[in-house]
Amino acid sequence: MTPPANEPSTERSLNFIEQIVEEDISAGLHDGRVLTRFPPEPNGYLHLGHAKSICLNFGLAQRYGGLTNLRFDDTNPVTEDTEYVDSIKDDVRWLGFDWAQELYASDYFDQLYAFAEALIEKGLAYVDDSTAAEIAALKGSPTVPGQPSPFRDRSVAENLDLFRQMKAGAYPDGAKVLRAKIDMASPNMHFRDPIIYRIKHAHHHRTGDAWCIYPMYDFAHGQSDAIEQITHSICTLEFIPHRPLYDWFIEQLGIFPSKQYEFARLNLTYTVMSKRKLKRLVEGGHVTGWDDPRMPTLAGIRRRGYTPDSLREFCERIGVAKRDNLIDVGLLEFCIREELNRTTHRVMAVVDDQPIKLVLTNYPEGQEEIMHIENNPEDPDSGTREVPFGREVYVERDDFMEVPPKKYFRLAPGQMVRLKGAYIVRCDEVIKNGAGEVTELHCTYIPESKSGQDTSGINVKGTIHWVSVAHAVPAEVRLYDRLFAAENPAMEEKEMESDDDNAFLSLLNPNSLVVVKGMVEPNLAGRAVGERVQFMRKGYFTVDVDSTPNQLVFNRTVTLKDAWAKETKKS
RNA sequence: AGCUCGAUAGUAUAAGGGUAGUACAACAGAUUUUGGUUCUGUCUGUCUAGGUUCGAAUCCUGGUCGAGCUACCA
C-alpha cells in the first residue's frame, strides 16, 4: 500500500507516529501493511480521551491504506460487562469509523494458555503459592532489589502440573499465580517476575464459566496484537514501562513482532477524564447519568449536541505528541461553532423565566403579519421561513435597560432597535408592577421600516430577537456550562493533598446546569430529537430526548461568542 | 528514592544543523438587520549552564522543572 496520491504530508505536518509509519512503509516493513487496533476494556463508557485514540488509530489506517480492529480487552471478568460492549460499538460508529474485525482478548484464551505452557516449558515461568502480600514484600523497591520467591525454582514438570490444576479449578482464588521468571533485581519493576495468570472463579461475559484462570494485561495485550498481526500498537504514555515486557514476551514466544508506540493522553480544561472520577460523578448523582450533557463521555457530548465531524476536527487540531498537555476547552467549542454556524438554521427563542412583553401601541389590534426570514445567512440555499408577527411580542429582559450604559444598543426609554426580520420600534413607556419590576414596554413601530422594504431612512445599531405572544410555543431550555469551576480539577485535587477520594467534587461548578423557560417561534413545534438550531444571539441548541409531544426540551450545545459580555465584564 | 519519558508564545502543535511557523485564545479596526459570521492588523516563545560548529530549538554534557511507573486493574 502506498500513501494516497495527493501527498498527505503537504496538507499539514506529520505527527511523530505518522512519521514512524511512513518510515516503516518506505523501509518495506510488513510489505508496507498497516494494521492498528482500538482496544477498550468493556468496563465503562468512552470519553473524549478515547476519541483521540480512536481518531489516531483509525485515522492512521485510513491515511495509509490499512485497517483497524476493534478489540475488547476483556481479561478481567469481575469488572467487565456486555452492557459496555454495545455502548462502545455505538460510540465508535457514531464517531464515523468502521472496524475491520470485532475481536475480544477472550477469543484468544486457548492460545494464551498455550503460550503460558510454552513459557513454562522453556523454564521461563513458574507457579507461585505466595500470597499477594508475600509477593509484594519480596518485590523490593526501585532502590532495593527483590528477593526470589521460595517457589521460584520448581521443576518444569511440577510447574506444568500445578498450572494445569489451576486451570482445572483445583484451587481457590488467590491460592496460586503463574509468574514469568525474569529478573528480581531489574530497575524496571515490571520485570521482577510479573504475574501473568491469576485464579478468578468468576463468570466471564463471553466465555461464561469455561475458565477460572485469566491472563493479566501484560500477558494478553501484546500477544493479542501478535495474533492479529497488528503492525503498530498505539497506547498512552503510562504503558512505556510495559514496553520492554511487551517485547520480551513476543521474543520468547517467537510470535509476530508487533511494536508498541506511546502518545500523551488528552486532558481538557474544566473537566476530568479518568474513568474512576466519571463513575463517581454518575454514582454520586452529581450528573444525571453517563449521557448527561455535561459529561465528557461521547454519549454525553452527543446528547449535548456535538457532531462527529466537530469531534474529529478537534482531534485533528489538538495534535499527537509525547508531552503532557492540557487542551483549552475553548478549542472544542470553536470546532462545534465552526460547523454549526455553517449548517444550522437560525430561529428565534426568548430564553427567559420572565420575558418582557412589548406592546406596539400604534399597531392595529388583532392584525398579524407573516415575516419571511432567512434560515441561514451563511448558506444562500437554505431558504427562508415564515415567522408570525403581531401587536405583542416577547423580548428578553437582558435586551432592555432603564438606565443604559454607553454603547448599549438595545432597548431603553426613547431608544430604537430593530426587531429582527420585522420593524424598527421605539420604546416610549415603561410599565412596572407593584414590586417595581418592568413587565411591559409600550413602543411605537415605524411602518416604513419593514424588513426588506425599509424606506424609513432610520439607522439603528441594535437588532434584537423576539417571539409573537399570540404564537409563542413554550419550551424548557437547559443551559449547560462547564462541569467544573477549576481549570484543572485533577491537578487541584492533588494539590489539596486530601486522602478523600471525593475531594475533586468540591470543585464542581454549581451553575453547570441552569434550567430556564423559553418561548420559541412556532416553527420549532414538533422538531425531532437531535435536531440542531441556532437560537439567534444566544447559541446553538439541540432537541433533547426528554422532549415530549407537549413539551420541547432544548440543550444548549454552546453559546455564541459574546463581545458585549466581554465589554461589560471589563468595566 | 530508583528507573523511564518529556520541556518551543496564554494553550496546543511544526521547524530533524541554515529566516522560529500554524491554529485556538487575547487585543485593535472594518463589514454586518445576530454585540454572531467574515475580513484586516497587532502582541507574546525555544527551561538553564556549558560544549561541538562558520552557524544550534535541533547534536553532546551537567543542572532545573514536570509527568509516569513501583496492583493477583487495564
Side-chain angles (χ1 to χ4, degrees):
Chain A
M1 293 289 163
T2 50
N6 49 344
E7 188 60 46
S9 51
T10 58
E11 23 181 272
R12 76 166 158 78
S13 53
L14 265 30
N15 65 51
F16 78 101
I17 293 180
E18 289 166 335
Q19 290 180 17
I20 289 168
V21 171
E22 291 204 357
E23 282 160 21
D24 287 346
I25 290 172
S26 50
L29 186 70
H30 308 312
D31 302 318
R33 186 175 59 85
V34 174
L35 213 213
T36 58
R37 103 268 91 113
F38 173 62
E41 185 188 9
N43 72 344
Y45 286 76
L46 260 32
H47 52 62
L48 286 167
H50 294 109
K52 177 178 182 182
S53 172
I54 292 168
C55 290
L56 215 205
N57 278 294
F58 283 87
L60 213 48
Q62 271 174 8
R63 186 184 185 100
Y64 297 107
L67 294 168
T68 305
N69 288 341
L70 174 62
R71 183 174 71 232
F72 291 95
D73 223 338
D74 56 351
T75 56
N76 186 1
V78 305
T79 57
E80 294 152 4
D81 199 275
T82 338
E83 170 203 350
Y84 299 112
V85 170
D86 297 330
S87 79
I88 288 169
K89 283 158 65 179
D90 286 347
D91 286 345
V92 174
R93 265 193 291 256
W94 176 76
L95 246 195
F97 295 105
D98 283 318
W99 46 90
Q101 297 185 77
E102 176 184 335
L103 300 165
Y104 296 79
S106 55
D107 294 340
Y108 311 133
F109 279 172
D110 283 316
Q111 177 68 258
L112 263 10
Y113 177 82
F115 284 153
E117 287 208 352
L119 224 48
I120 292 172
E121 277 164 10
K122 286 184 76 175
L124 294 175
Y126 61 97
V127 172
D128 194 334
D129 301 359
S130 308
T131 65
E134 288 163 345
I135 289 175
L138 290 178
K139 203 151 204 174
S141 75
T143 42
V144 181
Q147 297 301 315
S149 158
F151 304 96
R152 196 169 196 258
D153 292 316
R154 293 216 252 226
S155 69
V156 168
E158 187 183 5
N159 281 319
L160 223 39
D161 177 54
L162 257 17
F163 187 49
R164 285 173 184 164
Q165 289 190 54
M166 278 170 63
K167 182 193 180 207
Y171 310 109
D173 287 8
K176 288 178 165 50
V177 290
L178 184 70
R179 293 227 258 169
K181 191 171 179 178
I182 311 180
D183 178 5
M184 289 305 290
S186 172
N188 182 341
M189 297 297 285
H190 297 279
F191 265 49
R192 321 253 266 223
D193 290 9
I195 293 166
I196 58 181
Y197 262 94
R198 75 288 215 196
I199 301 170
K200 274 180 193 283
H201 291 271
H203 188 82
H204 187 278
H205 75 116
R206 301 200 88 224
T207 60
D209 298 313
W211 293 86
C212 63
I213 58 171
Y214 293 92
M216 299 286 290
Y217 168 85
D218 285 311
F219 200 71
H221 202 99
Q223 285 88 327
S224 301
D225 285 341
I227 291 167
E228 294 171 25
Q229 306 208 339
I230 298 296
T231 58
H232 302 265
S233 179
I234 299 163
C235 60
T236 44
L237 255 27
E238 67 268 27
F239 290 96
I240 290 179
H242 295 249
R243 186 176 356 119
L245 233 202
Y246 181 105
D247 292 336
W248 190 85
F249 284 128
I250 282 179
E251 196 190 330
Q252 297 306 324
L253 264 10
I255 52 183
F256 183 86
S258 298
K259 290 287 179 199
Q260 174 182 303
Y261 302 94
E262 311 87 6
F263 70 97
R265 61 160 14 111
L266 165 68
N267 297 296
L268 244 202
T269 56
Y270 301 104
T271 191
V272 295
M273 210 68 89
S274 94
K275 246 184 227 180
R276 195 199 111 249
K277 287 193 169 70
L278 294 177
K279 195 166 191 171
R280 201 144 297 203
L281 289 172
V282 174
E283 288 171 353
H286 300 96
V287 294
T288 59
W290 287 99
D291 69 342
D292 186 299
R294 292 166 291 185
M295 290 282 276
T297 52
L298 295 187
I301 222 138
R302 172 168 61 217
R303 185 168 172 191
R304 176 82 169 253
Y306 276 77
T307 62
D309 280 1
S310 69
L311 255 38
R312 288 201 305 271
E313 175 67 18
F314 173 69
C315 290
E316 186 69 28
R317 283 173 181 264
I318 58 178
V320 178
K322 294 187 81 155
R323 65 185 90 105
D324 293 319
N325 59 81
L326 179 61
I327 306 286
D328 187 346
V329 72
L331 183 61
L332 217 210
E333 296 176 343
F334 167 83
C335 291
I336 189 61
R337 282 195 192 105
E338 188 188 42
E339 178 180 346
L340 264 18
N341 174 53
R342 242 180 19 239
T343 57
T344 58
H345 284 188
R346 275 58 171 165
V347 294
M348 293 192 285
V350 172
V351 181
D352 203 324
D353 282 331
Q354 293 180 290
I356 297 180
K357 188 191 282 185
L358 209 134
V359 181
L360 307 178
T361 50
N362 61 334
Y363 195 89
E365 224 147 328
Q367 181 171 308
E368 284 179 9
E369 279 179 87
I370 300 295
M371 301 303 181
H372 296 267
I373 304 181
E374 60 185 343
N375 282 322
N376 185 352
E378 304 300 313
D379 176 8
D381 298 328
S382 65
T384 61
R385 69 185 187 286
E386 299 184 338
V387 185
F389 180 80
R391 190 169 189 267
E392 297 185 338
V393 299
Y394 289 119
V395 300
E396 278 171 24
R397 200 153 284 269
D398 259 8
D399 287 335
F400 170 78
M401 285 187 93
E402 197 160 13
V403 186
K406 274 241 174 330
K407 293 203 285 184
Y408 183 82
F409 301 144
R410 310 175 190 179
L411 279 168
Q415 207 157 296
M416 290 198 284
V417 296
R418 173 173 294 280
L419 297 177
K420 171 70 192 178
Y423 297 97
I424 292 172
V425 300
R426 184 183 47 237
C427 176
D428 302 320
E429 194 183 346
V430 179
I431 313 294
K432 296 181 181 176
N433 64 14
E437 297 161 339
V438 177
T439 55
E440 285 184 19
L441 298 175
H442 286 187
C443 301
T444 48
Y445 85 110
I446 317 294
E448 315 79 65
S449 68
K450 184 167 177 176
S451 206
Q453 48 207 74
D454 186 348
T455 58
S456 70
I458 300 172
N459 263 326
V460 290
K461 285 227 177 69
T463 298
I464 64 173
H465 60 281
W466 51 273
V467 173
S468 163
V469 170
H471 307 86
V473 173
E476 175 177 323
V477 183
R478 298 176 181 171
L479 304 177
Y480 292 105
D481 198 355
R482 39 195 61 157
L483 224 203
F484 286 87
E487 185 175 51
N488 192 349
M491 205 196 70
E492 288 201 22
E493 182 189 42
K494 209 172 277 179
E495 285 170 357
M496 287 190 255
E497 287 176 5
S498 154
D499 346 297
D500 181 6
D501 257 13
N502 292 322
F504 77 104
L505 294 173
S506 67
L507 302 170
L508 280 166
N509 172 11
N511 303 314
S512 60
L513 169 58
V514 177
V515 180
V516 180
K517 283 184 199 134
M519 289 297 191
V520 305
E521 59 177 82
N523 197 284
L524 251 13
R527 292 294 180 107
V529 171
E531 272 201 62
R532 301 178 179 89
V533 291
Q534 184 197 92
F535 287 175
M536 295 201 83
R537 305 207 304 136
K538 304 299 292 183
Y540 297 98
F541 292 76
T542 187
V543 181
D544 189 76
V545 282
D546 285 349
S547 297
T548 66
N550 315 323
Q551 171 81 336
L552 279 166
V553 177
F554 288 95
N555 295 329
R556 182 172 70 194
T557 307
V558 66
T559 61
L560 254 30
K561 284 212 287 189
D562 191 345
W564 174 246
K566 215 177 273 178
E567 190 70 29
T568 53
K569 210 177 274 182
K570 274 189 230 165
S571 51

